[in-house]
Amino acid sequence: MAPSWRSWDGAQGGYVAALALDAMREELDRRTGEAAPVRTLGAHFLAPVDDRPLRLTARTLREGRRTSMSTLTAIQGGAPVLAGSAVFGWGGPGPAHSDLSAPPVPAPDACPPLTLPCDLAAFAAHLEIRPANDARPLGGGPRAELLAWLRFTDRRPLDAGTPVVLADALPPGLFALWTVPRPVPTAELTVHFTDALDAAPVEGWALVRIRTEYAGSGRAVEDSALWSTTGQLLALARQARALRNGSRAAHGD
């Protein structure tokens, strides 16, 4: 695992989950001969992922005409570090509904850049981050929510794997309340995809909102939403996090 993707004491969870998605998609494509869009990705982080080689083993559980399902285990140093699953499937006719509109914010070029500390979030060097409102990490604000435009520094388009990384790219929503950092590692991440990326990747920035819905007893639950610059909802994500004491921690329990 490349050291440039480190976050706190392990690799950034969204990046590892995106690698898992790629492995499951490649295995399914090899078996079926076609690239079905991903609908849901789930990842359980069993242990920190470090710089050693990571072995990904994907298995297709079901090959369906409309829906297929896969699982994955990631092994590092002879021990499992991630268990993943994914649902793939083609869209079809049916009712459409969405009441989760993109919040009104300035365009990315009108928002100031934000640089995250490299000792806590080395992976952020791969990203451009532009907060879209007044909330800032460690700003001691009134709400456990952050909202920002994000894109990769290499300007890659928004494809199926991009929302997985971006859903986990901003600091936890709790950081908007706090003034001193503490580790809040991800134990589980689930991403649900809309049909916005089914036909082709989308160019440009993604507007990402992350907020803590609940925190207590050393645990937190966070929701993320991602929109394109045209206001299309790209994906919804939910994370289960552990609240740690001290200044360093790793993914998983």
Side-chain angles (χ1 to χ4, degrees), residues 107-120:
D109 290 344
C111 299
L114 173 69
T115 300
L116 298 180
C118 61
D119 58 330
L120 301 182

Side-chain angles (χ1 to χ4, degrees), residues 15-86:
Y15 177 68
V16 179
L19 294 178
L21 172 60
D22 286 344
M24 287 185 282
R25 185 165 46 187
E26 290 174 4
E27 163 66 11
L28 180 62
D29 293 354
R30 183 185 64 80
R31 296 175 65 91
T32 64
E34 58 181 357
V38 60
R39 295 302 172 204
T40 302
L41 170 70
H44 288 81
F45 300 92
L46 309 178
V49 176
D50 56 33
D51 301 341
R52 294 173 296 171
L54 185 68
R55 180 165 59 89
L56 304 172
T57 303
R59 178 187 177 196
T60 300
L61 299 180
R62 180 182 186 274
E63 302 172 33
R65 186 173 59 87
R66 290 286 299 275
T67 302
S68 299
M69 300 179 183
S70 302
T71 61
L72 176 134
T73 302
I75 303 292
Q76 191 172 64
V81 293
L82 180 142
S85 62

Side-chain angles (χ1 to χ4, degrees), residues 75-173:
I75 303 292
Q76 191 172 64
V81 293
L82 180 142
S85 62
V87 178
F88 301 88
W90 297 100
H97 171 74
S98 176
D99 62 358
L100 193 61
S101 301
V105 296
D109 290 344
C111 299
L114 173 69
T115 300
L116 298 180
C118 61
D119 58 330
L120 301 182
F123 73 88
H126 293 281
L127 304 171
E128 295 181 52
I129 304 174
R130 293 179 176 264
N133 59 14
D134 294 335
R136 296 291 186 276
L138 306 180
R143 302 184 62 192
E145 177 179 303
L146 294 168
L147 179 67
W149 293 103
L150 279 78
R151 70 179 175 186
F152 282 79
T153 55
D154 61 10
R155 309 294 177 87
R156 72 185 65 179
L158 301 170
D159 60 10
T162 308
V164 182
V165 178
L166 298 185
D168 190 39
L170 290 176

Side-chain angles (χ1 to χ4, degrees), residues 21 25 37-42 86-87 159-164 190-198 233-237:
L21 172 60
R25 185 165 46 187
V38 60
R39 295 302 172 204
T40 302
L41 170 70
V87 178
D159 60 10
T162 308
V164 182
T190 299
V191 183
H192 298 277
F193 301 82
T194 71
D195 60 1
L197 302 175
D198 283 5
L233 182 65
L234 303 175
L236 298 169

